[in-house]
Amino acid sequence: MIVLQEVRKRYGEREILSGITVTLETGRVYAIAGPSGSGKTTLLQILAGYEHPTSGTVQARKTLRLEYAPQDFLLFSNLTVWNHLRLKAAARRLQERWEERAHRLLADLGIANHCRAPVGTLSGGERRRLQLAIALLPPSNVLLLDEPTSNLDAIASEQVWETLAREGAGKTMVICSHAPIPARLEPVRWQLRGGVLDVE
Amino acid sequence: MWSDGKILRSAARMMRAKAPIQFRLAAATLFVAAFALSTMGLFAWRVVQDAKRQFVTNTAVHVILVNSRSLGEQDLPRPVQWQDRQRIQEILDQSLSDAGARAWNVYQINFGITDSEGRADWVESVDPGAASLLGLAQMRDDTAYTTSSKASRLILYVPVVRQTQGGYESDRRIPMTLTRVEQIPRQAPLMALSSALNADSPNGRPLFVSYDAYRTILERAFGQPFPGVIRALERGQDFGIEPVASVAVYIPHLTDVDQVARILTAHHYNVAYALGAFQQLSSTWRTAARMAFGFILVTVVAMYLGAWLAFRSDLRRSRKDLGILRHFGFSAQEVARIYHLKFRGMFLTCAGSTALYTLVAGALVFRLPWYACVVLACAVAACVGLMSMANASAARKTAALHLPHLLRFSKEME
């Protein structure tokens, strides 16, 4: 469970988040929609611990394992797809059998045949799916996903939602997306507008 | 099973594979700077060694030879006399006591003395304690010192001098045996300063003996004790010889030589010394040394600054990479270590190769003693090590920056 209380974020004179108070229940999926610049990414970065709120608190268990797939590509263009997964496995100290899981994730997301390709040669959609695979590889309690289907066509998007439905089972997922989130994920739908979070 | 060291090394290998041109440029600059530092260090050490050999430890350049004194513009210079040594010592003690200059007589016997090799010897000597003027540690009373003889012993046939109305004559000789013959080094100070002392020919040669042996020869030649001979000479009695050939002044510090020469010249003494050909040698020497040191320092600093800036530029460009590694889950310390491991091998190679180069070039090309090569090799390796440590410290600071700051800073969007 993650509890946000009166979370505000201000960049200079501009207030991005205006006192958000919500509780994220364990195992639920939260779909946050909203126009561009409404603060969706900032909210995810605060949840991920990358940004600090200007005021207010974020309370979560210290043992919570959290993975964040940001909207920007945080990848090394010269490294191969497989090397990215190796790096992630190394950073999270994954034990044996992670390779098997990595191969399955790549296959599920439709990029298994790009294993040895440098990221610089991948399309935007392929990079998006690699970034998701990296976030899904280690065991986690919370998944924070920023625009997980941008750059993707309908078929690839369907592959992503299907993978998330399977891999995210039992995990808390917060998904910011302009694209509609399938009902089979049973998301709690929130709208972020003017720095305020409304339940739809 | 992952071990931390293996993980970080593996990550560093991957990072090395994506090293940008800035990193390669920084590495090349470092190698050039390290090799330049080594070469300049070797060269400077060589120059200092040569200078020491040529000037500081070369006794010849520390000696001023006083041959005569000019009392008036109209008068001819008169040769130095028995009393001049003491006068010169007093002048120097009063005018430049800090210099610690010492004056010694160089003695001569103006007539040739035949020896058992059939040659005429021009017997010379120096004051007790002045053996270093001949490049010797000490002089023995039973030894002849020459630059040429191969004999193991010599007999001098000392003529017994009689004064007659027409001058001096001799019809009797007293043999004087010198049981040993030793060589004088040709680069000995007196040999270097006076060409007359090198005037070796089949007919005659300079032959040095100890002061006591010299006294004995004069006593035998003139048939009276040495103090009597000296008193007679001081009274102006003419024996047909000028026993003092010159006064040699030894100055411990090279920088005082010019000044001592100027003082003696001001007291009408005519001097000859090796550094006389150089105008203002000491100040020229100091200025040149300062300029050379400054130039080397500036060059080395500039080169190392260049290498340092190149690495800082690479680190700045790598900010997003460091941020991505932290986003993957590595801690800031681990990220700094990965970046350090990325260049550590290259720094080790650089330190090792320049140290080896310093040892080999120092010994074979610059002909420096082994300890100099080792000191320089260690110094160069230490400089490279210091830069590696400075880079590691900069990487630690960068990796610990606020994550969005790291990720936002990069101009590169991958």
Side-chain angles (χ1 to χ4, degrees), chain A residues 50-51 68 73-77 84 86 88 91 93-95 127, chain B residues 1-2 4 7 10 321 324 327-329 334 402-404 408 414:
Chain A
Y50 286 20
E51 282 284 5
Y68 173 40
F73 295 122
L74 296 183
L75 303 168
F76 298 107
S77 56
H84 278 82
R86 279 181 62 203
K88 184 69 182 183
R93 275 34 174 200
L94 300 187
Q95 304 301 324
R127 293 180 192 203
Chain B
M1 183 73 103
W2 295 103
D4 280 3
I7 288 167
S10 163
D321 291 351
I324 294 173
H327 166 71
F328 270 53
E334 286 173 335
H402 193 37
L403 188 50
R408 200 181 297 146
E414 295 183 76

PDB file of all heavy atoms in Angstrom, chain A residues 50-51 68 73-77 84 86 88 91 93-95 127, chain B residues 1-2 4 7 10 321 324 327-329 334 402-404 408 414:
ATOM      1  N   TYR A  50      12.179   9.383  -7.753  1.00  0.00           N
ATOM      2  CA  TYR A  50      13.136  10.149  -8.556  1.00  0.00           C
ATOM      3  C   TYR A  50      13.016  11.646  -8.264  1.00  0.00           C
ATOM      4  O   TYR A  50      13.977  12.388  -8.413  1.00  0.00           O
ATOM      5  CB  TYR A  50      12.899   9.912 -10.063  1.00  0.00           C
ATOM      6  CG  TYR A  50      13.372   8.554 -10.564  1.00  0.00           C
ATOM      7  CD1 TYR A  50      13.566   7.491  -9.687  1.00  0.00           C
ATOM      8  CD2 TYR A  50      13.637   8.346 -11.906  1.00  0.00           C
ATOM      9  CE1 TYR A  50      13.980   6.261 -10.143  1.00  0.00           C
ATOM     10  CE2 TYR A  50      14.057   7.117 -12.377  1.00  0.00           C
ATOM     11  CZ  TYR A  50      14.224   6.069 -11.491  1.00  0.00           C
ATOM     12  OH  TYR A  50      14.638   4.852 -11.941  1.00  0.00           O
ATOM     13  N   GLU A  51      11.810  12.068  -7.916  1.00  0.00           N
ATOM     14  CA  GLU A  51      11.568  13.470  -7.555  1.00  0.00           C
ATOM     15  C   GLU A  51      11.018  13.517  -6.139  1.00  0.00           C
ATOM     16  O   GLU A  51      10.392  12.553  -5.678  1.00  0.00           O
ATOM     17  CB  GLU A  51      10.533  14.096  -8.506  1.00  0.00           C
ATOM     18  CG  GLU A  51      11.065  14.495  -9.870  1.00  0.00           C
ATOM     19  CD  GLU A  51      11.897  15.773  -9.849  1.00  0.00           C
ATOM     20  OE1 GLU A  51      12.146  16.305  -8.748  1.00  0.00           O
ATOM     21  OE2 GLU A  51      12.306  16.220 -10.924  1.00  0.00           O
ATOM     22  N   TYR A  68      10.107   1.071 -12.558  1.00  0.00           N
ATOM     23  CA  TYR A  68       9.558   2.239 -13.260  1.00  0.00           C
ATOM     24  C   TYR A  68       9.997   2.189 -14.723  1.00  0.00           C
ATOM     25  O   TYR A  68      11.188   2.101 -15.011  1.00  0.00           O
ATOM     26  CB  TYR A  68      10.072   3.493 -12.556  1.00  0.00           C
ATOM     27  CG  TYR A  68       9.759   4.808 -13.226  1.00  0.00           C
ATOM     28  CD1 TYR A  68       8.528   5.065 -13.829  1.00  0.00           C
ATOM     29  CD2 TYR A  68      10.706   5.839 -13.215  1.00  0.00           C
ATOM     30  CE1 TYR A  68       8.269   6.295 -14.412  1.00  0.00           C
ATOM     31  CE2 TYR A  68      10.446   7.070 -13.792  1.00  0.00           C
ATOM     32  CZ  TYR A  68       9.223   7.289 -14.400  1.00  0.00           C
ATOM     33  OH  TYR A  68       8.952   8.495 -14.982  1.00  0.00           O
ATOM     34  N   PHE A  73      13.155   7.151 -23.365  1.00  0.00           N
ATOM     35  CA  PHE A  73      13.939   5.914 -23.446  1.00  0.00           C
ATOM     36  C   PHE A  73      15.213   6.081 -22.631  1.00  0.00           C
ATOM     37  O   PHE A  73      16.042   6.942 -22.956  1.00  0.00           O
ATOM     38  CB  PHE A  73      14.287   5.583 -24.893  1.00  0.00           C
ATOM     39  CG  PHE A  73      13.080   5.280 -25.730  1.00  0.00           C
ATOM     40  CD1 PHE A  73      12.810   6.017 -26.870  1.00  0.00           C
ATOM     41  CD2 PHE A  73      12.217   4.257 -25.380  1.00  0.00           C
ATOM     42  CE1 PHE A  73      11.697   5.734 -27.641  1.00  0.00           C
ATOM     43  CE2 PHE A  73      11.102   3.970 -26.146  1.00  0.00           C
ATOM     44  CZ  PHE A  73      10.835   4.715 -27.278  1.00  0.00           C
ATOM     45  N   LEU A  74      15.382   5.303 -21.587  1.00  0.00           N
ATOM     46  CA  LEU A  74      16.627   5.327 -20.815  1.00  0.00           C
ATOM     47  C   LEU A  74      17.407   4.067 -21.166  1.00  0.00           C
ATOM     48  O   LEU A  74      17.423   3.083 -20.429  1.00  0.00           O
ATOM     49  CB  LEU A  74      16.319   5.404 -19.316  1.00  0.00           C
ATOM     50  CG  LEU A  74      15.605   6.688 -18.885  1.00  0.00           C
ATOM     51  CD1 LEU A  74      15.401   6.718 -17.378  1.00  0.00           C
ATOM     52  CD2 LEU A  74      16.374   7.922 -19.321  1.00  0.00           C
ATOM     53  N   LEU A  75      18.013   4.107 -22.352  1.00  0.00           N
ATOM     54  CA  LEU A  75      18.718   2.942 -22.906  1.00  0.00           C
ATOM     55  C   LEU A  75      20.061   3.399 -23.479  1.00  0.00           C
ATOM     56  O   LEU A  75      20.248   4.578 -23.760  1.00  0.00           O
ATOM     57  CB  LEU A  75      17.887   2.309 -24.029  1.00  0.00           C
ATOM     58  CG  LEU A  75      16.464   1.869 -23.660  1.00  0.00           C
ATOM     59  CD1 LEU A  75      15.669   1.544 -24.924  1.00  0.00           C
ATOM     60  CD2 LEU A  75      16.497   0.660 -22.745  1.00  0.00           C
ATOM     61  N   PHE A  76      20.959   2.442 -23.637  1.00  0.00           N
ATOM     62  CA  PHE A  76      22.264   2.729 -24.247  1.00  0.00           C
ATOM     63  C   PHE A  76      22.211   2.320 -25.718  1.00  0.00           C
ATOM     64  O   PHE A  76      22.030   1.134 -26.021  1.00  0.00           O
ATOM     65  CB  PHE A  76      23.378   1.946 -23.552  1.00  0.00           C
ATOM     66  CG  PHE A  76      23.538   2.291 -22.099  1.00  0.00           C
ATOM     67  CD1 PHE A  76      23.142   1.411 -21.116  1.00  0.00           C
ATOM     68  CD2 PHE A  76      24.090   3.502 -21.711  1.00  0.00           C
ATOM     69  CE1 PHE A  76      23.287   1.719 -19.776  1.00  0.00           C
ATOM     70  CE2 PHE A  76      24.238   3.825 -20.372  1.00  0.00           C
ATOM     71  CZ  PHE A  76      23.831   2.932 -19.402  1.00  0.00           C
ATOM     72  N   SER A  77      22.412   3.289 -26.605  1.00  0.00           N
ATOM     73  CA  SER A  77      22.216   2.992 -28.032  1.00  0.00           C
ATOM     74  C   SER A  77      23.221   1.973 -28.566  1.00  0.00           C
ATOM     75  O   SER A  77      22.919   1.228 -29.491  1.00  0.00           O
ATOM     76  CB  SER A  77      22.281   4.275 -28.849  1.00  0.00           C
ATOM     77  OG  SER A  77      23.504   4.923 -28.603  1.00  0.00           O
ATOM     78  N   HIS A  84      21.278  -5.090 -22.269  1.00  0.00           N
ATOM     79  CA  HIS A  84      20.443  -4.296 -21.371  1.00  0.00           C
ATOM     80  C   HIS A  84      19.820  -5.177 -20.301  1.00  0.00           C
ATOM     81  O   HIS A  84      19.785  -4.819 -19.115  1.00  0.00           O
ATOM     82  CB  HIS A  84      19.349  -3.562 -22.151  1.00  0.00           C
ATOM     83  CG  HIS A  84      19.836  -2.297 -22.779  1.00  0.00           C
ATOM     84  ND1 HIS A  84      20.514  -2.274 -23.980  1.00  0.00           N
ATOM     85  CD2 HIS A  84      19.777  -1.010 -22.355  1.00  0.00           C
ATOM     86  CE1 HIS A  84      20.833  -1.030 -24.277  1.00  0.00           C
ATOM     87  NE2 HIS A  84      20.398  -0.229 -23.309  1.00  0.00           N
ATOM     88  N   ARG A  86      20.983  -8.028 -19.299  1.00  0.00           N
ATOM     89  CA  ARG A  86      22.075  -8.467 -18.415  1.00  0.00           C
ATOM     90  C   ARG A  86      22.395  -7.399 -17.376  1.00  0.00           C
ATOM     91  O   ARG A  86      22.610  -7.692 -16.199  1.00  0.00           O
ATOM     92  CB  ARG A  86      23.340  -8.748 -19.236  1.00  0.00           C
ATOM     93  CG  ARG A  86      23.338 -10.122 -19.896  1.00  0.00           C
ATOM     94  CD  ARG A  86      24.626 -10.331 -20.655  1.00  0.00           C
ATOM     95  NE  ARG A  86      25.775 -10.286 -19.763  1.00  0.00           N
ATOM     96  CZ  ARG A  86      27.019  -9.998 -20.147  1.00  0.00           C
ATOM     97  NH1 ARG A  86      27.263  -9.741 -21.425  1.00  0.00           N
ATOM     98  NH2 ARG A  86      27.993  -9.996 -19.288  1.00  0.00           N
ATOM     99  N   LYS A  88      20.365  -5.110 -16.251  1.00  0.00           N
ATOM    100  CA  LYS A  88      19.260  -5.040 -15.285  1.00  0.00           C
ATOM    101  C   LYS A  88      19.370  -6.199 -14.280  1.00  0.00           C
ATOM    102  O   LYS A  88      19.215  -6.002 -13.071  1.00  0.00           O
ATOM    103  CB  LYS A  88      17.922  -5.122 -16.028  1.00  0.00           C
ATOM    104  CG  LYS A  88      16.710  -4.953 -15.142  1.00  0.00           C
ATOM    105  CD  LYS A  88      16.607  -3.525 -14.631  1.00  0.00           C
ATOM    106  CE  LYS A  88      15.425  -3.348 -13.705  1.00  0.00           C
ATOM    107  NZ  LYS A  88      15.269  -1.961 -13.271  1.00  0.00           N
ATOM    108  N   ALA A  91      22.144  -5.387 -11.914  1.00  0.00           N
ATOM    109  CA  ALA A  91      21.802  -4.318 -10.965  1.00  0.00           C
ATOM    110  C   ALA A  91      20.873  -4.831  -9.879  1.00  0.00           C
ATOM    111  O   ALA A  91      20.990  -4.433  -8.718  1.00  0.00           O
ATOM    112  CB  ALA A  91      21.157  -3.154 -11.709  1.00  0.00           C
ATOM    113  N   ARG A  93      20.658  -7.951  -8.944  1.00  0.00           N
ATOM    114  CA  ARG A  93      21.233  -9.191  -8.386  1.00  0.00           C
ATOM    115  C   ARG A  93      20.306 -10.383  -8.628  1.00  0.00           C
ATOM    116  O   ARG A  93      20.009 -11.158  -7.700  1.00  0.00           O
ATOM    117  CB  ARG A  93      21.460  -9.060  -6.889  1.00  0.00           C
ATOM    118  CG  ARG A  93      22.740  -8.421  -6.363  1.00  0.00           C
ATOM    119  CD  ARG A  93      23.302  -7.350  -7.146  1.00  0.00           C
ATOM    120  NE  ARG A  93      24.445  -6.716  -6.488  1.00  0.00           N
ATOM    121  CZ  ARG A  93      24.885  -5.517  -6.799  1.00  0.00           C
ATOM    122  NH1 ARG A  93      24.323  -4.804  -7.767  1.00  0.00           N
ATOM    123  NH2 ARG A  93      25.934  -5.003  -6.191  1.00  0.00           N
ATOM    124  N   LEU A  94      19.819 -10.532  -9.832  1.00  0.00           N
ATOM    125  CA  LEU A  94      18.934 -11.667 -10.131  1.00  0.00           C
ATOM    126  C   LEU A  94      19.759 -12.943 -10.156  1.00  0.00           C
ATOM    127  O   LEU A  94      20.877 -12.962 -10.677  1.00  0.00           O
ATOM    128  CB  LEU A  94      18.231 -11.465 -11.475  1.00  0.00           C
ATOM    129  CG  LEU A  94      17.340 -10.213 -11.575  1.00  0.00           C
ATOM    130  CD1 LEU A  94      16.576 -10.222 -12.891  1.00  0.00           C
ATOM    131  CD2 LEU A  94      16.354 -10.143 -10.409  1.00  0.00           C
ATOM    132  N   GLN A  95      19.189 -14.011  -9.628  1.00  0.00           N
ATOM    133  CA  GLN A  95      19.917 -15.273  -9.560  1.00  0.00           C
ATOM    134  C   GLN A  95      19.675 -16.082 -10.832  1.00  0.00           C
ATOM    135  O   GLN A  95      19.143 -15.557 -11.821  1.00  0.00           O
ATOM    136  CB  GLN A  95      19.485 -16.050  -8.313  1.00  0.00           C
ATOM    137  CG  GLN A  95      19.665 -15.268  -7.017  1.00  0.00           C
ATOM    138  CD  GLN A  95      21.119 -14.837  -6.792  1.00  0.00           C
ATOM    139  OE1 GLN A  95      22.033 -15.573  -7.124  1.00  0.00           O
ATOM    140  NE2 GLN A  95      21.314 -13.658  -6.235  1.00  0.00           N
ATOM    141  N   ARG A 127      11.973  -0.244 -28.994  1.00  0.00           N
ATOM    142  CA  ARG A 127      12.620   0.291 -27.777  1.00  0.00           C
ATOM    143  C   ARG A 127      11.618   0.363 -26.628  1.00  0.00           C
ATOM    144  O   ARG A 127      11.943   0.083 -25.473  1.00  0.00           O
ATOM    145  CB  ARG A 127      13.159   1.693 -28.035  1.00  0.00           C
ATOM    146  CG  ARG A 127      14.309   1.720 -29.009  1.00  0.00           C
ATOM    147  CD  ARG A 127      14.777   3.129 -29.200  1.00  0.00           C
ATOM    148  NE  ARG A 127      15.696   3.215 -30.340  1.00  0.00           N
ATOM    149  CZ  ARG A 127      16.578   4.157 -30.505  1.00  0.00           C
ATOM    150  NH1 ARG A 127      16.680   5.121 -29.622  1.00  0.00           N
ATOM    151  NH2 ARG A 127      17.355   4.166 -31.554  1.00  0.00           N
TER     152      ARG A 127
ATOM    153  N   MET B   1      25.521 -17.399 -10.003  1.00  0.00           N
ATOM    154  CA  MET B   1      25.501 -16.514  -8.830  1.00  0.00           C
ATOM    155  C   MET B   1      26.349 -15.267  -9.107  1.00  0.00           C
ATOM    156  O   MET B   1      27.482 -15.364  -9.544  1.00  0.00           O
ATOM    157  CB  MET B   1      26.073 -17.292  -7.625  1.00  0.00           C
ATOM    158  CG  MET B   1      26.041 -16.538  -6.327  1.00  0.00           C
ATOM    159  SD  MET B   1      24.396 -16.412  -5.674  1.00  0.00           S
ATOM    160  CE  MET B   1      24.449 -17.653  -4.392  1.00  0.00           C
ATOM    161  N   TRP B   2      25.747 -14.085  -8.898  1.00  0.00           N
ATOM    162  CA  TRP B   2      26.469 -12.832  -9.125  1.00  0.00           C
ATOM    163  C   TRP B   2      27.339 -12.520  -7.913  1.00  0.00           C
ATOM    164  O   TRP B   2      26.917 -12.612  -6.789  1.00  0.00           O
ATOM    165  CB  TRP B   2      25.490 -11.669  -9.297  1.00  0.00           C
ATOM    166  CG  TRP B   2      24.607 -11.738 -10.501  1.00  0.00           C
ATOM    167  CD1 TRP B   2      23.298 -12.097 -10.549  1.00  0.00           C
ATOM    168  CD2 TRP B   2      24.971 -11.408 -11.828  1.00  0.00           C
ATOM    169  NE1 TRP B   2      22.832 -12.024 -11.816  1.00  0.00           N
ATOM    170  CE2 TRP B   2      23.830 -11.597 -12.636  1.00  0.00           C
ATOM    171  CE3 TRP B   2      26.153 -10.972 -12.440  1.00  0.00           C
ATOM    172  CZ2 TRP B   2      23.830 -11.368 -13.996  1.00  0.00           C
ATOM    173  CZ3 TRP B   2      26.148 -10.749 -13.783  1.00  0.00           C
ATOM    174  CH2 TRP B   2      25.005 -10.938 -14.556  1.00  0.00           C
ATOM    175  N   ASP B   4      29.540  -9.148  -6.397  1.00  0.00           N
ATOM    176  CA  ASP B   4      29.509  -7.703  -6.666  1.00  0.00           C
ATOM    177  C   ASP B   4      30.618  -7.272  -7.621  1.00  0.00           C
ATOM    178  O   ASP B   4      30.388  -6.511  -8.550  1.00  0.00           O
ATOM    179  CB  ASP B   4      29.624  -6.926  -5.346  1.00  0.00           C
ATOM    180  CG  ASP B   4      28.272  -6.867  -4.640  1.00  0.00           C
ATOM    181  OD1 ASP B   4      27.312  -7.477  -5.161  1.00  0.00           O
ATOM    182  OD2 ASP B   4      28.194  -6.231  -3.588  1.00  0.00           O
ATOM    183  N   ILE B   7      29.849  -8.365 -11.137  1.00  0.00           N
ATOM    184  CA  ILE B   7      28.768  -7.551 -11.697  1.00  0.00           C
ATOM    185  C   ILE B   7      29.309  -6.222 -12.204  1.00  0.00           C
ATOM    186  O   ILE B   7      29.053  -5.810 -13.339  1.00  0.00           O
ATOM    187  CB  ILE B   7      27.700  -7.277 -10.607  1.00  0.00           C
ATOM    188  CG1 ILE B   7      26.916  -8.542 -10.317  1.00  0.00           C
ATOM    189  CG2 ILE B   7      26.757  -6.154 -11.026  1.00  0.00           C
ATOM    190  CD1 ILE B   7      26.067  -8.450  -9.070  1.00  0.00           C
ATOM    191  N   SER B  10      31.626  -6.557 -15.147  1.00  0.00           N
ATOM    192  CA  SER B  10      30.856  -6.875 -16.344  1.00  0.00           C
ATOM    193  C   SER B  10      30.176  -5.611 -16.882  1.00  0.00           C
ATOM    194  O   SER B  10      30.198  -5.330 -18.083  1.00  0.00           O
ATOM    195  CB  SER B  10      29.842  -7.958 -15.992  1.00  0.00           C
ATOM    196  OG  SER B  10      28.852  -8.034 -16.958  1.00  0.00           O
ATOM    197  N   ASP B 321      24.490   8.422 -19.004  1.00  0.00           N
ATOM    198  CA  ASP B 321      24.824   6.998 -18.850  1.00  0.00           C
ATOM    199  C   ASP B 321      24.814   6.611 -17.363  1.00  0.00           C
ATOM    200  O   ASP B 321      24.300   5.556 -16.988  1.00  0.00           O
ATOM    201  CB  ASP B 321      26.213   6.699 -19.423  1.00  0.00           C
ATOM    202  CG  ASP B 321      26.220   6.816 -20.944  1.00  0.00           C
ATOM    203  OD1 ASP B 321      25.125   6.962 -21.520  1.00  0.00           O
ATOM    204  OD2 ASP B 321      27.311   6.769 -21.534  1.00  0.00           O
ATOM    205  N   ILE B 324      21.298   6.441 -16.246  1.00  0.00           N
ATOM    206  CA  ILE B 324      20.605   5.226 -16.713  1.00  0.00           C
ATOM    207  C   ILE B 324      21.004   4.027 -15.844  1.00  0.00           C
ATOM    208  O   ILE B 324      20.161   3.206 -15.467  1.00  0.00           O
ATOM    209  CB  ILE B 324      20.909   4.949 -18.198  1.00  0.00           C
ATOM    210  CG1 ILE B 324      20.311   6.066 -19.066  1.00  0.00           C
ATOM    211  CG2 ILE B 324      20.348   3.597 -18.642  1.00  0.00           C
ATOM    212  CD1 ILE B 324      20.697   5.998 -20.531  1.00  0.00           C
ATOM    213  N   HIS B 327      19.110   4.251 -12.828  1.00  0.00           N
ATOM    214  CA  HIS B 327      17.718   3.889 -13.110  1.00  0.00           C
ATOM    215  C   HIS B 327      17.569   2.363 -13.199  1.00  0.00           C
ATOM    216  O   HIS B 327      16.560   1.802 -12.774  1.00  0.00           O
ATOM    217  CB  HIS B 327      17.289   4.537 -14.426  1.00  0.00           C
ATOM    218  CG  HIS B 327      16.024   3.986 -14.999  1.00  0.00           C
ATOM    219  ND1 HIS B 327      14.790   4.231 -14.429  1.00  0.00           N
ATOM    220  CD2 HIS B 327      15.790   3.176 -16.069  1.00  0.00           C
ATOM    221  CE1 HIS B 327      13.859   3.598 -15.134  1.00  0.00           C
ATOM    222  NE2 HIS B 327      14.441   2.952 -16.136  1.00  0.00           N
ATOM    223  N   PHE B 328      18.592   1.694 -13.689  1.00  0.00           N
ATOM    224  CA  PHE B 328      18.554   0.232 -13.784  1.00  0.00           C
ATOM    225  C   PHE B 328      18.585  -0.405 -12.389  1.00  0.00           C
ATOM    226  O   PHE B 328      18.219  -1.565 -12.247  1.00  0.00           O
ATOM    227  CB  PHE B 328      19.737  -0.288 -14.611  1.00  0.00           C
ATOM    228  CG  PHE B 328      19.428  -0.400 -16.084  1.00  0.00           C
ATOM    229  CD1 PHE B 328      18.914   0.670 -16.787  1.00  0.00           C
ATOM    230  CD2 PHE B 328      19.631  -1.593 -16.767  1.00  0.00           C
ATOM    231  CE1 PHE B 328      18.624   0.576 -18.140  1.00  0.00           C
ATOM    232  CE2 PHE B 328      19.341  -1.704 -18.119  1.00  0.00           C
ATOM    233  CZ  PHE B 328      18.834  -0.617 -18.808  1.00  0.00           C
ATOM    234  N   GLY B 329      19.076   0.327 -11.411  1.00  0.00           N
ATOM    235  CA  GLY B 329      19.055  -0.218 -10.048  1.00  0.00           C
ATOM    236  C   GLY B 329      20.396  -0.235  -9.353  1.00  0.00           C
ATOM    237  O   GLY B 329      20.485  -0.677  -8.208  1.00  0.00           O
ATOM    238  N   GLU B 334      27.988   2.244  -6.686  1.00  0.00           N
ATOM    239  CA  GLU B 334      28.279   1.221  -7.705  1.00  0.00           C
ATOM    240  C   GLU B 334      28.473   1.862  -9.076  1.00  0.00           C
ATOM    241  O   GLU B 334      29.351   1.457  -9.842  1.00  0.00           O
ATOM    242  CB  GLU B 334      27.134   0.202  -7.757  1.00  0.00           C
ATOM    243  CG  GLU B 334      27.115  -0.745  -6.581  1.00  0.00           C
ATOM    244  CD  GLU B 334      25.874  -1.622  -6.562  1.00  0.00           C
ATOM    245  OE1 GLU B 334      24.836  -1.220  -7.134  1.00  0.00           O
ATOM    246  OE2 GLU B 334      25.937  -2.703  -5.963  1.00  0.00           O
ATOM    247  N   HIS B 402      21.453  14.258  -8.072  1.00  0.00           N
ATOM    248  CA  HIS B 402      20.022  13.955  -8.084  1.00  0.00           C
ATOM    249  C   HIS B 402      19.689  13.281  -9.427  1.00  0.00           C
ATOM    250  O   HIS B 402      20.104  13.771 -10.494  1.00  0.00           O
ATOM    251  CB  HIS B 402      19.277  15.281  -7.934  1.00  0.00           C
ATOM    252  CG  HIS B 402      17.843  15.149  -7.631  1.00  0.00           C
ATOM    253  ND1 HIS B 402      17.335  14.171  -6.813  1.00  0.00           N
ATOM    254  CD2 HIS B 402      16.772  15.876  -8.038  1.00  0.00           C
ATOM    255  CE1 HIS B 402      16.032  14.296  -6.729  1.00  0.00           C
ATOM    256  NE2 HIS B 402      15.666  15.330  -7.469  1.00  0.00           N
ATOM    257  N   LEU B 403      18.971  12.174  -9.381  1.00  0.00           N
ATOM    258  CA  LEU B 403      18.776  11.354 -10.597  1.00  0.00           C
ATOM    259  C   LEU B 403      18.135  12.121 -11.771  1.00  0.00           C
ATOM    260  O   LEU B 403      18.656  12.067 -12.888  1.00  0.00           O
ATOM    261  CB  LEU B 403      17.972  10.102 -10.238  1.00  0.00           C
ATOM    262  CG  LEU B 403      17.850   9.053 -11.338  1.00  0.00           C
ATOM    263  CD1 LEU B 403      19.195   8.703 -11.942  1.00  0.00           C
ATOM    264  CD2 LEU B 403      17.180   7.801 -10.798  1.00  0.00           C
ATOM    265  N   PRO B 404      17.038  12.844 -11.554  1.00  0.00           N
ATOM    266  CA  PRO B 404      16.477  13.588 -12.690  1.00  0.00           C
ATOM    267  C   PRO B 404      17.467  14.595 -13.266  1.00  0.00           C
ATOM    268  O   PRO B 404      17.490  14.859 -14.461  1.00  0.00           O
ATOM    269  CB  PRO B 404      15.272  14.310 -12.081  1.00  0.00           C
ATOM    270  CG  PRO B 404      14.935  13.540 -10.868  1.00  0.00           C
ATOM    271  CD  PRO B 404      16.224  13.000 -10.349  1.00  0.00           C
ATOM    272  N   ARG B 408      18.390  14.488 -17.027  1.00  0.00           N
ATOM    273  CA  ARG B 408      17.985  15.652 -17.802  1.00  0.00           C
ATOM    274  C   ARG B 408      19.178  16.358 -18.403  1.00  0.00           C
ATOM    275  O   ARG B 408      19.070  17.024 -19.420  1.00  0.00           O
ATOM    276  CB  ARG B 408      17.230  16.620 -16.887  1.00  0.00           C
ATOM    277  CG  ARG B 408      16.351  17.613 -17.614  1.00  0.00           C
ATOM    278  CD  ARG B 408      15.675  18.523 -16.609  1.00  0.00           C
ATOM    279  NE  ARG B 408      14.796  17.773 -15.732  1.00  0.00           N
ATOM    280  CZ  ARG B 408      14.583  18.084 -14.444  1.00  0.00           C
ATOM    281  NH1 ARG B 408      15.205  19.088 -13.886  1.00  0.00           N
ATOM    282  NH2 ARG B 408      13.745  17.376 -13.723  1.00  0.00           N
ATOM    283  N   GLU B 414      18.522   9.050 -26.293  1.00  0.00           N
ATOM    284  CA  GLU B 414      18.723   7.752 -26.958  1.00  0.00           C
ATOM    285  C   GLU B 414      17.392   7.027 -27.104  1.00  0.00           C
ATOM    286  O   GLU B 414      16.522   7.186 -26.293  1.00  0.00           O
ATOM    287  CB  GLU B 414      19.695   6.919 -26.158  1.00  0.00           C
ATOM    288  CG  GLU B 414      21.077   7.550 -26.136  1.00  0.00           C
ATOM    289  CD  GLU B 414      22.069   6.691 -25.406  1.00  0.00           C
ATOM    290  OE1 GLU B 414      22.496   5.700 -25.993  1.00  0.00           O
ATOM    291  OE2 GLU B 414      22.402   7.012 -24.291  1.00  0.00           O
TER     292      GLU B 414
END
